[in-house]
Amino acid sequence: MKHQRSEIYVYPAPDSINTGIAVIVCPGGSYSHLMGIATEGYAVAEWLNAQGINAFVLRYRVGKDGHHHPAMIQDVQRAIQLVRDHAGEYHINAEKLGTMGFSAGGHLVTMSGAFYKDNYLKPLGIQSNASLKPNFVVPVYPVVSMQDSIAHQRSRRNLLSRHYTKEQQDKFSMELQIPNDMPPTFLVTAKDDPVVMYQNSVQLDKALTNKHVKHEFWLYDTGGHGYAMSEERAGE
């Protein structure tokens, strides 16, 4: 199934309320599947449209189709590049483009902000002058760490395969990789999340704070996991 391609679904904001802001939305699914794309993708895009924000739902490559790193970050960087290169056609401001992700998608968008200097498109022969750095990042109940104590093991296995090294484990523990110029970040999760330990977000908040990155962290007592923009659970 390695021939499975990534796809972008375009949701333009209505002309009458278009703010020029755009968001690339990355659904969750443990880096294994994207079964929650309806609630964590399409429904999110529709909500963003109602706020005058353009949305691009990214169906990135995943583990069930035989894909591991760097497929996922290649896909999100490609999405950033394509949207910026075609900003005029989409009626958006290329300098107001962010990434928003849920669960494993939250890990992916955090990588998009932290690893933007690592051009994963270059080995693919893709050339562009567009910046790969998102202007803001929104991880929602995100996977953050690959460390044994708090890792979401299924996400780690699908991202890095079963045969990962300690170097990879650290490289993709995002609490260890936040740069000084990380984009402004909005982080949200709940303490009763039964899927991804909320301590993932606590560690990310600490890393952002230590690097003096402009960010907000909303930590709720209740909320669970997979709620996206609705009361339904996307499921992992």
Side-chain angles (χ1 to χ4, degrees), residues 106 109-115 133-140 142-144 173-189 199-218:
V109 301
T110 305
M111 285 201 295
S112 77
F115 295 158
K133 182 180 182 180
N135 295 105
F136 57 88
V137 175
V138 184
V140 183
V143 172
V144 173
S173 291
M174 299 316 299
E175 76 277 17
L176 304 179
Q177 302 297 335
I178 299 302
N180 293 325
D181 62 347
M182 179 77 178
T185 301
F186 177 76
L187 172 65
V188 60
T189 197
Q199 288 85 353
N200 278 261
S201 293
V202 171
Q203 291 302 312
L204 180 55
D205 171 60
K206 288 181 179 178
L208 293 165
T209 300
N210 289 340
K211 293 290 185 175
H212 306 289
V213 175
K214 183 178 180 180
H215 74 287
E216 288 193 29
F217 177 32
W218 290 10

Side-chain angles (χ1 to χ4, degrees), residues 60-80:
Y60 53 91
R61 290 170 290 173
V62 291
K64 78 176 182 62
D65 299 322
H67 297 287
H68 305 290
H69 173 78
M72 297 78 165
I73 193 167
Q74 284 174 338
D75 288 349
V76 74
Q77 286 193 343
R78 178 66 163 159
I80 292 169

Side-chain angles (χ1 to χ4, degrees), residues 12-138:
D15 291 340
S16 60
I17 59 171
N18 188 355
T19 61
I21 300 170
V23 177
I24 294 169
V25 182
C26 299
S30 306
Y31 280 130
S32 168
H33 56 79
L34 296 179
M35 290 179 66
I37 196 169
T39 53
E40 295 177 341
Y42 310 141
V44 172
E46 291 171 358
W47 183 88
L48 290 168
N49 284 173
Q51 320 308 312
I53 299 171
N54 302 273
F56 299 82
V57 179
L58 177 62
R59 182 183 287 275
Y60 53 91
R61 290 170 290 173
V62 291
K64 78 176 182 62
D65 299 322
H67 297 287
H68 305 290
H69 173 78
M72 297 78 165
I73 193 167
Q74 284 174 338
D75 288 349
V76 74
Q77 286 193 343
R78 178 66 163 159
I80 292 169
Q81 174 253 313
L82 284 172
V83 172
R84 282 214 166 106
D85 280 349
H86 297 276
E89 299 168 38
Y90 293 130
H91 305 290
I92 67 170
N93 185 335
E95 300 306 315
K96 293 184 177 181
L97 173 63
T99 54
M100 180 181 192
F102 300 81
S103 196
H107 184 272
L108 180 55
V109 301
T110 305
M111 285 201 295
S112 77
F115 295 158
Y116 75 92
K117 292 179 182 177
D118 299 330
N119 189 333
Y120 287 96
L121 301 181
K122 190 174 182 179
L124 302 177
I126 298 171
Q127 302 293 330
S128 172
N129 292 324
S131 170
L132 296 176
K133 182 180 182 180
N135 295 105
F136 57 88
V137 175
V138 184

